Amino acid sequence: DAKTTQPTSMDCAEGRAANLPCNHSTISGNEYVYWYRQIHSQGPQYIIHGLKNNETNEMASLIITEDRKSSTLILPHATLRDTAVYYCIASDNYGQNFVFGPGTRLSVLP
Amino acid sequence: EAQVTQNPRYLITVTGKKLTVTCSQNMNHEYMSWYRQDPGLGLRQIYYSMNVEVTDKGDVPEGYKVSRKEKRNFPLILESPSPNQTSLYFCASSLKDLVHEQYFGPGTRLTVT
């Protein structure tokens, strides 16, 4: 699976959009980009995934660059409850050795 | 309510005493996985299962066993726990394949002394 790199931490003001970047320059053609988040020590929560097109659901939007070497997760109106560690993972859909790296710690500030 | 449950949630045990952490899901998912989470190392996959009686090793399988006799249950077995297995453990399940939209359990915090 391709390795991903994310900033260690980010801050965002409540009500503003949170834009979380992820680099995956070695991603292969059959690997998806997945985003999960983990609040405190709870079980991770699935957010969104995509292959090459931009995706949107009720939680977030995922923007993948045309060369697929990077992506951005967008939380359109961040709330205090969005404070969490956000993980970007590149994997094919067989998913063996699905690796969560250190992620980005997002702090939403009042 | 769709959920993955794990028991126990907290466990303190001694080296060498066999233990089982249970995992159950009520979503009829075929795919299930076990992860452990350690500070500085993120979550790492221990074992996974693609269906009943189909299991395989993940990234860190040493010292663990699993079984999948029924679709809903996927217990994690530590035959002879050691202190380096002190960790936070998560079970996950998914419908389409191993990684799409995984649902995670609440976690089991295990301490081996």
Side-chain angles (χ1 to χ4, degrees), chain B residues 15-74:
Chain B
T15 299
K17 185 177 181 182
K18 180 179 179 180
L19 66 92
T20 299
V21 184
T22 65
C23 172
S24 183
Q25 49 94 3
N26 62 359
M27 296 167 280
N28 204 36
H29 286 171
E30 290 190 354
Y31 300 89
M32 298 186 75
S33 298
W34 275 103
Y35 294 85
R36 61 178 288 173
Q37 185 171 28
D38 304 289
L41 296 176
L43 282 95
R44 295 175 292 168
Q45 191 183 59
I46 303 171
Y47 268 94
Y48 61 90
S49 170
M50 294 189 180
N51 211 329
V52 175
E53 303 291 2
V54 180
T55 64
D56 207 346
K57 297 177 181 179
D59 201 30
V60 287
E62 294 78 20
Y64 305 94
K65 287 175 57 178
V66 292
S67 69
R68 188 92 181 274
K69 299 190 187 324
E70 314 164 89
K71 184 180 276 193
R72 64 182 293 124
N73 296 323
F74 189 43

Side-chain angles (χ1 to χ4, degrees), chain A residues 34 36 38 94 96-98, chain B residues 37 45 48 98-99 102:
Chain A
Y34 298 86
Y36 282 77
Q38 186 175 26
Y94 295 103
Q96 292 96 325
N97 302 318
F98 191 74
Chain B
Q37 185 171 28
Q45 191 183 59
Y48 61 90
L98 268 180
V99 298
Q102 293 184 83

Side-chain angles (χ1 to χ4, degrees), chain A residues 1-67:
Chain A
D1 293 346
K3 178 178 170 57
T4 62
T5 55
Q6 302 175 250
T8 302
S9 63
M10 295 180 64
D11 292 340
C12 176
E14 188 178 18
R16 306 296 294 269
N19 296 284
L20 292 91
C22 179
N23 286 320
H24 31 80
S25 58
T26 60
I27 196 168
S28 61
N30 64 340
E31 288 182 320
Y32 289 76
V33 179
Y34 298 86
W35 284 84
Y36 282 77
R37 71 181 183 183
Q38 186 175 26
I39 298 171
H40 295 299
S41 294
Q42 298 177 19
Q45 177 188 23
Y46 166 82
I47 302 173
I48 199 168
H49 73 277
L51 184 61
K52 48 186 175 180
N53 297 323
N54 298 337
E55 302 287 345
T56 295
N57 63 19
E58 65 279 2
M59 286 183 69
S61 295
L62 174 61
I63 308 298
I64 303 174
T65 58
E66 193 168 337
D67 62 9

